[in-house]
């Protein structure tokens, strides 16, 4: 056998103190489809970005057809024959489909004008070859995600890519579209291209891919021939680590139901979601990114609208699309993206902490710094926010301290129910444990906590109950004692009954 | 193995979109004609006099030039508020050269004026591209800074027509086939820039950058280089505008071009350039500029009180933006519907 198309060995990459990749290996043969799988945060995307020229590796070997390569940017990678198709394609909405395919290398006619006829012809030919004819002259704006991916694939073929990386391409597609995409992938494989396919859906991986490489915590774990392995084996490789008593979950006595959600449905987003969170209980939504967990939380809190169903807190009906009303009922919400949704970055720590309780602090409708200060000081010290002064701007704090400020903001409202979405994403290990301690303490005081997390150890360490969300539905529920990495991962990746 | 799905019919997107953009330009042209006809009916000298005809065609020239530069910048998702100040400096520098360098060849002065504009545009571009500060802020700063330089330099002085060589003054009134030469200059610029923007890779890259900056970066398009292109072009065209100003008015002080930046933005928007970048044509902008210039010369003739004139221009700008929004929404809805059924 000749040289493999692509060979990576011992590749590492760190961002500051955070090691995204410790040691990644990957060997891709021409004419095969190679699955790259692992939990969220296992380092797949970082690896893809290194291959695609977006990041530079810190160390390790990267061979393309036997030659060591160092890409300076995405252009280099492209020139070397590597194409990456992202989950959300990156087209130019105002340009035509044909121009999107040829952007940066449009053919010219002899008089030095763009050869639109040739672009049109080639585009039609390419998309037809992929079985999805798309009008070359229409604007890219408004194309479905599936069609946008087809345009991206057509582009990669037309530049003569040898390696095509598809980063979770099926996450946003319907069943028919997935079949169509898999057909295209097989066709490209048969034409001798090497394809790296990233997906969380085992049914797709097993029916499509020849080889499966598993990563975990930024490290290469194993490469398996699909024919010679089983799903159980792969899941073991993905999660194989001990979930010790890493987080100090305080045992609490669980009280009466605080949050009750009944048959909540938002068409196309989530469906028939029912669950209860009781006082003093931590309930975790586990599942994959994009499963609809955050969307459910946002609807429950009243940020997003929903179509049917009901939400009650402490027996009172939570109004729709009215976060202020939800807050009055004693709900708090710490969003996933704290930079965008949780903090006023240019405002001081003090202002941020007291933001949610301003009306109760105000005197005669006016708020002054002297009214805010005592409350802010109490919370900042209880949370051990490391900052020199309360008037430090929030954007100057580390991710962990920012998260604590957001938590402080909600704790100051003394909520009955707190919803936290990915509370420890992008936070260093030490602060992580502190955030866990805080949440646990909070539950100890009788607050009901609904937590969303993509990190399995966090879920298993913190939750009194685990609800697994898959494709907009709660597909499994485990009590604390019954939840294991294997059964939670299995529920998160497998359709119940027929495949979607 | 090949894919065996039934092929969905090819969607027709072009004709609809094409009709749309063309509709805007045709609509503007119709408005221009109506405006001229009505105004002439009320006051025949508006068109049927030597000065009237020339004024009608000559007056939009400056706005056309700076609006095209502005449009290129807006297409890249930026804005250039300094064009009026740049124009002023170019006007005065050119007049000063004629006065202080006896016998200086006219082409050299033209070149210097354009080069000055390009240089000032380069400063804008460098600040935007390398400091990564929004261009609104940068060019708001240079709007004042360049004007400040003009005031320091010019002080209370002004260009006297006696400074200018007679051949240069003649440009202002010269006509070929009864079309003012200055308009012909603008038309050449429109054709060249328009061709460049539709038919050269670099032109398309400017649209791509404004349409989706992240994708452009992922794509290896150089955001910095393209941003510099746009601002340098805008500056150079403002410089050229300054020379046209000098030819038409044969005078100028430190206040020349005040407020032009907003007229340029208005012309671009009315001409169909989306303020968020990525779309719009140079032809549309030229027609938009002609339209706005015609309105402002017709309204006084029509007896509209000067207090109302600005409001009417404003109504057209808001109307153009509303029209864009409505069309955009209906297009998105259509595309979504088409996507669902396929």
């Amino acid at each position: 056998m000749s040289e493999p198309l692509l060979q990576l060995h011992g590749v590492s990459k760190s961002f500051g103190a955070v090691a995204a990749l410790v040691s990644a290996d990957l060997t891709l043969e021409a004419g095969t489809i190679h699955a790259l799988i692992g939990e969220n945060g296992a380092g797949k995307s970082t690896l893809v970005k290194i291959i695609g020229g977006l990041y530079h590796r810190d160390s390790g070997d990267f061979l393309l057809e036997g030659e060591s390569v160092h890409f300076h940017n995405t252009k280099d990678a492209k020139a070397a024959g590597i194409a990456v198709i992202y989950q959300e394609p990156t087209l130019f909405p105002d340009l035509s489909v044909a121009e999107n395919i040829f952007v940066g290398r449009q053919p010219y006619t002899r008089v030095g004008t763009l050869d639109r006829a040739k672009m049109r012809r080639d585009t039609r030919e390419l998309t037809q070859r992929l079985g999805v004819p798309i009008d070359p002259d229409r604007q890219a704006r408004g194309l479905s995600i599936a069609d946008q991916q087809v345009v991206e694939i057509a582009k990669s073929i037309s530049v003569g890519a040898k390696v095509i990386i598809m980063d979770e391409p099926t996450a946003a597609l319907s069943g028919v579209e997935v079949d169509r995409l898999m057909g295209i992938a097989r066709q490209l494989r048969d034409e001798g291209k090497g394809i790296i396919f990233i997906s969380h859906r085992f049914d797709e991986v097993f029916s499509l891919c020849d080889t499966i490489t598993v990563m975990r915590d930024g490290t290469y774990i194993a490469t398996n021939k699909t024919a010679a392995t089983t799903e159980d084996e792969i899941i073991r490789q993905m999660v194989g680590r001990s979930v010790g008593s890493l987080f100090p979950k305080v045992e609490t006595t669980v009280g009466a139901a605080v949050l009750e959600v009944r048959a909540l449905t938002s068409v196309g987003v989530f469906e028939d979601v029912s669950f209860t969170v009781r006082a003093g209980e931590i309930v975790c939504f586990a599942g994959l990114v994009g499963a609809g967990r955050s969307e459910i939380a946002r609807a429950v809190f009243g940020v997003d609208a929903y179509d049917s169903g009901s939400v009650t807190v402490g027996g009172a009906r939570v109004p729709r699309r009215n976060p202020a009303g939800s807050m009055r009922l004693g709900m708090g919400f710490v969003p996933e993206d704290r930079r965008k949704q949780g903090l006023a970055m240019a405002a001081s720590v003090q202002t941020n902490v007291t933001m949610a309780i301003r009306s109760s602090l105000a005197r005669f409708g006016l708020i002054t710094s002297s009214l805010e200060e005592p409350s802010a000081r109490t919370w900042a010290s209880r949370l051990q926010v490391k900052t020199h002064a309360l008037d430090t701007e929030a954007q100057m704090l580390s991710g962990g301290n920012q998260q604590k400020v957001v938590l402080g903001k909600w704790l100051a409202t003394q909520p009955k129910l707190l919803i936290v979405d990915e509370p420890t994403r992008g936070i260093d290990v030490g602060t992580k444990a502190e955030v866990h301690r805080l949440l646990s303490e909070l539950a100890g005081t009788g607050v009901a906590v609904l937590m969303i997390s993509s990190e399995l150890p966090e879920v298993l360490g913190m939750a009194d109950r685990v609800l697994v969300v898959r494709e907009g539905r709660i597909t499994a529920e485990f009590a604390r004692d019954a939840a294991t990495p294997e059964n939670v991962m299995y529920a998160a990746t497998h359709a119940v009954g027929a495949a979607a | 193995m090949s894919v065996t799905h039934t092929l969905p019919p090819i969607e027709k997107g072009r004709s609809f979109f094409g009709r749309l953009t063309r509709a805007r330009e045709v609509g503007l042209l119709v408005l221009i004609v109506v405006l001229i006809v009505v105004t002439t009916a009320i006051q025949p000298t508006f068109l049927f006099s030597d000065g009237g005809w020339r004024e009608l065609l000559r007056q939009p020239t400056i706005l056309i030039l700076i609006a095209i530069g502005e449009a290129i910048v807006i297409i890249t998702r930026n804005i250039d508020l300094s064009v009026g100040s740049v124009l002023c400096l170019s006007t005065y520098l050119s007049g000063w050269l004629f006065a202080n360098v006896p016998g200086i060849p006219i082409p050299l002065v033209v070149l210097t004026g354009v080069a000055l504009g390009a240089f000032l545009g380069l400063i804008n571009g460098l600040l935007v591209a390398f400091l990564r500060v929004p261009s609104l802020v940068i060019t708001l700063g240079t709007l004042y800074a360049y004007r400040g330089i003009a005031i320091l330099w010019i002080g209370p002085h002004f260009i006297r027509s006696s400074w200018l060589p007679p051949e240069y003054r003649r440009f202002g009134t010269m006509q070929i086939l009864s079309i003012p030469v200055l308009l012909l200059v603008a038309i050449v610029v429109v054709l060249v820039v328009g061709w460049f923007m539709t038919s050269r890779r670099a032109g398309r890259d400017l649209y791509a950058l404004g349409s989706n900056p992240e994708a452009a970066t992922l794509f290896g398009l150089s955001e910095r280089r393209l941003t510099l292109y746009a601002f340098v072009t805008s500056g150079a065209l403002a410089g050229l505008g300054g020379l046209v100003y000098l030819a038409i008015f044969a005078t100028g002080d430190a206040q020349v071009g005040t407020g032009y930046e907003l007229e340029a933005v208005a012309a671009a928007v009315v001409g169909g350039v989306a303020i968020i970048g990525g779309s719009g044509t140079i032809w549309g902008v030229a027609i938009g500029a002609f339209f706005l210039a015609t309105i402002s010369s017709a309204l006084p003739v029509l007896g509209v009180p000067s207090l109302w004139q600005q409001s009417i221009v404003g109504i057209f700008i808001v109307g153009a933006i509303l029209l864009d929004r409505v069309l955009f929404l209906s297009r998105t809805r259509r595309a979504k519907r088409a996507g669902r059924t396929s």
Side-chain angles (χ1 to χ4, degrees):
Chain A
M1 180 121 200
S2 60
E3 289 281 1
L5 195 50
L6 191 74
Q7 225 176 343
L8 290 106
H9 184 69
V11 171
S12 72
K13 174 77 190 173
S14 296
F15 299 96
V18 182
L21 275 186
V22 180
S23 170
D25 287 18
L26 185 68
T27 304
L28 176 68
E29 305 283 352
T32 64
I33 303 178
H34 195 126
L36 185 57
I37 67 176
E39 276 188 273
N40 299 314
K44 298 168 306 224
S45 293
T46 309
L47 185 60
V48 165
K49 284 172 181 160
I50 287 174
I51 299 174
L54 201 61
Y55 293 162
H56 309 289
R57 63 186 186 273
D58 294 337
S59 64
D61 303 319
F62 180 177
L63 305 179
L64 189 66
E65 296 179 309
E67 302 272 322
S68 179
V69 286
H70 284 271
F71 298 140
H72 292 101
N73 49 41
T74 53
K75 218 172 183 172
D76 287 358
K78 239 172 243 147
I82 292 171
V84 184
I85 287 133
Y86 295 97
Q87 183 183 344
E88 294 287 336
T90 47
L91 298 181
F92 301 105
D94 298 292
L95 303 188
S96 72
V97 167
E99 275 204 88
N100 265 288
I101 288 177
F102 286 96
V103 80
R105 52 188 185 88
Q106 297 95 326
Y108 282 130
T109 59
R110 253 171 306 160
V111 292
T113 296
L114 292 189
D115 193 344
R116 288 180 192 274
K118 179 176 162 51
M119 282 162 55
R120 200 171 293 143
R121 226 171 25 244
D122 288 2
T123 302
R124 192 162 283 144
E125 212 170 274
L126 278 166
T127 56
Q128 223 131 37
R129 202 172 114 201
L130 294 175
V132 191
I134 298 174
D135 177 9
D137 291 318
R138 68 159 286 162
Q139 268 189 311
R141 171 168 286 132
L143 282 175
S144 69
I145 298 236
D147 285 349
Q148 291 183 40
Q149 286 174 345
V150 170
V151 173
E152 292 271 16
I153 293 171
K155 183 159 71 182
S156 60
I157 299 174
S158 89
V159 297
K162 288 172 279 195
V163 177
I164 298 174
I165 304 171
M166 302 185 184
D167 190 355
E168 294 201 46
T170 57
L173 303 190
S174 69
V176 184
E177 292 168 334
V178 169
D179 290 346
R180 196 174 76 181
L181 183 75
M182 286 168 61
I184 292 173
R186 291 195 181 97
Q187 186 187 340
L188 296 174
R189 173 192 65 195
D190 296 343
E191 291 170 8
K193 305 202 187 296
I195 295 171
I196 298 173
F197 185 82
I198 298 179
S199 173
H200 284 298
R201 298 181 183 170
F202 277 40
D203 45 345
E204 292 167 13
V205 167
F206 273 84
S207 76
L208 182 65
C209 301
D210 307 293
T211 319
I212 302 172
T213 289
V214 179
M215 291 180 69
R216 186 173 76 222
D217 298 334
T219 310
Y220 167 83
I221 300 298
T223 297
N224 314 267
K225 287 278 166 219
T226 308
T229 189
T230 61
E231 295 189 13
D232 290 343
E233 175 62 30
I234 300 291
I235 289 179
R236 252 196 306 282
Q237 293 173 3
M238 284 168 74
V239 299
R241 97 188 94 168
S242 60
V243 183
S245 53
L246 195 54
F247 309 115
K249 170 77 177 76
V250 182
E251 289 300 321
T252 55
T253 43
V254 173
V258 174
L259 174 70
E260 280 184 273
V261 176
R262 289 285 160 264
L264 202 65
T265 297
S266 174
V267 175
V269 185
F270 51 83
E271 214 173 319
D272 195 21
V273 172
S274 299
F275 62 95
T276 307
V277 185
R278 287 182 275 272
E281 188 182 36
I282 299 182
V283 172
C284 277
F285 273 169
L288 304 168
V289 169
R293 297 168 303 168
S294 301
E295 289 77 4
I296 296 171
R298 287 167 60 86
V300 166
F301 188 65
V303 181
D304 295 342
Y306 50 89
D307 295 309
S308 62
S310 71
V311 180
T312 56
V313 165
R317 183 95 192 221
V318 177
R320 288 185 190 203
R321 292 219 58 181
N322 183 356
S326 307
M327 279 165 61
R328 272 196 295 277
L329 288 173
M331 295 169 80
F333 181 58
V334 180
E336 182 178 4
D337 185 346
R338 59 181 168 272
R339 295 189 79 88
K340 272 195 192 146
Q341 302 169 355
L343 276 180
M345 297 305 290
S348 67
V349 169
Q350 175 170 315
T351 308
N352 271 293
V353 170
T354 55
M355 197 177 293
I357 50 166
R358 314 202 100 190
S359 51
S360 64
L361 287 179
R363 210 166 280 160
F364 311 119
L366 296 173
I367 186 101
T368 65
S369 183
S370 60
L371 293 171
E372 285 182 336
E373 212 232 280
S375 171
R377 187 164 298 287
T378 313
W379 285 108
S381 68
R382 260 189 77 178
L383 296 171
Q384 299 169 6
V385 177
K386 289 183 187 64
T387 167
H388 300 301
L390 286 172
D391 59 8
T392 310
E393 284 174 25
Q395 59 196 352
M396 310 300 278
L397 302 179
S398 71
N401 280 315
Q402 286 178 357
Q403 186 65 298
K404 287 199 265 181
V405 171
V406 180
L407 277 172
K409 166 176 136 187
W410 289 111
L411 298 189
T413 65
Q414 297 174 310
K416 281 188 270 188
L417 169 78
L418 188 66
I419 304 172
V420 286
D421 194 353
E422 303 282 3
T424 62
R425 170 168 296 169
I427 289 180
D428 63 274
V429 180
T431 318
K432 231 176 199 174
E434 266 184 81
V435 169
H436 291 141
R437 178 182 59 79
L438 279 167
L439 289 172
S440 176
E441 266 181 28
L442 204 64
T445 64
V447 176
V449 177
L450 175 62
M451 176 168 120
I452 297 170
S453 174
S454 298
E455 287 186 41
L456 215 38
E458 181 170 278
V459 168
L460 297 174
M462 294 294 293
D464 292 304
R465 267 187 307 136
V466 179
L467 303 177
V468 181
V469 180
R470 182 178 187 276
E471 293 180 2
R473 290 167 173 277
I474 294 181
T475 54
E477 174 169 349
F478 301 101
R480 181 174 178 79
D481 305 330
T484 66
E486 286 79 8
N487 61 19
V488 172
M489 183 55 74
Y490 190 87
T493 49
H494 283 71
V496 181
Chain B
M1 187 188 137
S2 73
V3 188
T4 52
H5 282 292
T6 45
L7 305 183
I10 286 190
E11 288 171 58
K12 269 289 159 215
R14 171 181 50 149
S15 54
F16 176 61
F17 182 65
R19 243 184 295 134
L20 233 165
T21 42
R22 241 170 287 136
R24 167 192 283 274
E25 284 141 27
V26 170
L28 277 174
L29 281 173
V30 169
L31 274 176
I32 292 171
V33 171
V34 169
L35 196 62
I36 294 173
V37 167
V38 170
T39 315
T40 311
I42 291 170
Q43 179 55 267
T45 56
F46 181 67
L47 191 59
F48 299 114
S49 70
D50 232 24
W53 168 257
R54 191 179 65 209
E55 214 33 55
L56 183 69
L57 293 184
R58 193 180 68 169
Q59 197 219 359
T61 318
I62 299 171
L63 187 56
I64 290 174
L65 291 174
I66 58 175
I68 288 170
E70 188 70 63
I72 296 173
V73 171
I74 296 178
I75 282 168
T76 64
R77 214 178 259 200
N78 282 302
I79 198 157
D80 185 353
L81 294 180
S82 71
V83 289
S85 305
V86 171
L87 183 139
C88 175
L89 281 170
S90 160
T91 303
Y92 199 81
L93 175 71
S94 307
W96 183 88
L97 281 176
F98 281 128
N100 291 278
V101 188
I104 187 170
I106 290 174
L108 185 61
V109 173
V110 171
L111 213 63
T112 314
V114 173
L116 173 73
F119 174 71
L120 297 175
L122 180 69
I123 294 177
N124 286 335
L126 287 172
L127 290 172
V128 173
F130 287 89
L131 293 187
R132 304 200 160 270
V133 177
S135 52
L136 181 78
V137 182
I138 294 285
T139 59
L140 185 65
T142 53
L143 155 76
Y144 286 111
Y146 295 164
R147 180 68 65 186
I149 293 170
I151 291 169
L152 274 177
W153 178 31
I154 303 168
H157 303 287
F158 57 92
I159 300 169
R160 286 152 220 271
S161 67
S162 61
W163 293 5
L164 308 179
E167 306 88 63
Y168 193 78
R169 264 179 290 160
R170 216 172 300 133
F171 278 129
T173 51
M174 204 192 287
Q175 297 187 351
I176 296 177
L177 299 173
S178 78
I179 296 171
V181 167
L182 295 178
L183 182 67
L184 290 176
V185 169
I187 288 173
V188 170
V189 170
V190 168
L191 291 176
V192 170
V193 175
W195 174 78
F196 182 85
M197 290 299 280
T198 53
S199 297
R200 296 296 297 179
R201 273 180 211 152
R204 302 315 294 168
D205 289 352
L206 291 166
Y207 282 99
L209 175 64
S211 188
N212 187 347
E214 285 113 68
T217 319
L218 267 184
F219 227 81
L221 300 182
S222 168
E223 186 178 351
R224 285 181 176 170
R225 194 172 43 94
L226 292 168
T227 306
L228 287 179
Y229 278 175
F231 278 100
V232 168
T233 311
S234 175
L237 288 176
L240 186 59
L243 287 149
V244 171
Y245 186 99
L246 191 61
I248 294 179
F249 299 105
T251 183
D253 57 15
Q255 294 306 321
V256 166
T258 308
Y260 278 22
E261 55 283 338
L262 295 185
E263 282 186 49
V265 174
V269 169
V270 170
V273 171
I275 200 80
I276 50 158
S279 68
T281 64
I282 298 302
W283 336 116
V285 174
I287 297 171
F290 197 94
F291 175 64
L292 287 187
T294 310
I295 288 188
S296 46
S297 59
L299 290 182
V301 178
L302 287 171
V304 176
S306 58
L307 287 171
W308 277 99
Q309 289 171 17
Q310 294 212 348
S311 305
I312 289 174
V313 173
I315 286 166
F316 274 106
I317 295 168
V318 174
I321 292 170
L322 283 178
L323 179 72
D324 274 344
R325 190 67 200 152
V326 169
L327 292 174
F328 176 80
L329 287 178
S330 81
R331 220 183 314 149
T332 316
R333 230 174 294 133
R334 246 164 212 259
K336 270 203 183 133
R337 227 176 297 137
R340 212 167 287 152
T341 51
S342 76

